[in-house]
Structures are given as C-alpha cells and as structure tokens.
Amino acid sequence: MFKRFFIYGSIGISLEILWTGLGALSSGDAALTGHSSIIMFPIYGGAILLEPAFKQLKNSSIILRGIIYMSLIFAAEYWSGLLLNSLKICPWSYFNTAFNIKGVIRLDYGPLWFAVGLLYEFLFNKGSKTKV
C-alpha cells in the first residue's frame, strides 16, 4: 500500500510540474519553469483512496468511470484546499480564475481530472496484474 501511495504521489507531483511548466509558456517563460509543493505529495498519494472505486467500477463505461473519478478528485481538492486555506498554507489559489469555487477548485479542470483518474485506474490495473 505504501508503495502505491508513493507512486500516486510521485506521478501527481510530476504531472503538476509538467502542467505548470507548460502553463508558464503562456506567460512568456521559454524555460517552461514548472513548480509544485511538498504539501501536494500526500494529496496526490491520497489517490490510493480511489482504489475501491477502481475495483467497483471495472465493468462500467469509461465515461461513467471518468466522471466518478473526476468528481472524487474535485471533492478531495475542495476539502484539502479548504483545510490548507484555513491553515494559511494552501499552495494554490484559483480566486482570480473563471469557474472557481471558493478559490480552491476550477471547474474547467474537469477534463484534466477525468483523464488523471483514468490514468491512475490504468496504473492500478497494471500494478494489480504484476502484484504492485
């Protein structure tokens, strides 16, 4: 279980650095500087809590699975964002963006979370076959 937590956390941090690095291009950063926060590692590692859903939904359509994963990820981002904001240590803020809810989630990130949920499901299924 710890190994999968570490894998999910590492992939989440890596994807965040990739995403923010690509986003830096829009602000003229030709170096594509990406960033994250160590605080994010356990949040991304928390994807391990999606594993029961991966098992339960294995015979469902990809659309239903993606929507459920996206919703669960939004919920985790929302509650962790509220908690981190209350502690004044939240490493992200969406207050200045469209489609934000309380500055901690962006609804326009729905397709991204849909895909990330399916990526984690794929990794879980691949690992289950090789006894990760």
Side-chain angles (χ1 to χ4, degrees):
M1 186 166 133
F2 178 76
K3 183 177 179 181
R4 291 189 317 278
F5 177 86
F6 184 80
I7 291 168
Y8 293 138
S10 297
I11 289 169
I13 290 282
S14 298
L15 287 172
E16 183 171 343
I17 292 169
L18 177 67
W19 182 257
T20 58
L22 291 173
L25 189 59
S26 68
S27 64
D29 179 1
L32 302 175
T33 306
H35 58 88
S36 188
S37 166
I38 286 296
I39 291 171
M40 297 307 297
F41 192 89
I43 294 170
Y44 289 124
I48 199 162
L49 299 174
L50 293 173
E51 289 183 352
F54 298 154
K55 293 174 187 174
Q56 190 72 27
L57 297 168
K58 68 181 177 183
N59 296 318
S60 300
S61 75
I62 192 169
I63 300 297
L64 178 62
R65 294 190 331 262
I67 289 171
I68 290 172
Y69 303 151
M70 175 189 68
S71 300
L72 292 171
I73 292 169
F74 268 139
E77 184 180 31
Y78 180 79
W79 291 110
S80 63
L82 289 180
L83 173 65
L84 294 173
N85 270 340
S86 74
L87 298 172
K88 299 188 181 351
I89 58 170
C90 191
W92 75 91
S93 173
Y94 299 137
F95 281 110
N96 296 322
T97 64
F99 311 111
N100 84 80
I101 297 178
K102 295 191 178 184
V104 294
I105 64 171
R106 290 180 57 167
L107 296 178
D108 57 325
Y109 279 4
L112 176 68
W113 296 136
F114 183 102
V116 168
L118 291 172
L119 171 65
Y120 280 161
E121 176 198 62
F122 171 80
L123 294 170
F124 171 76
N125 289 333
K126 188 141 179 84
S128 294
K129 291 177 183 164
T130 60
K131 301 283 191 232
V132 170

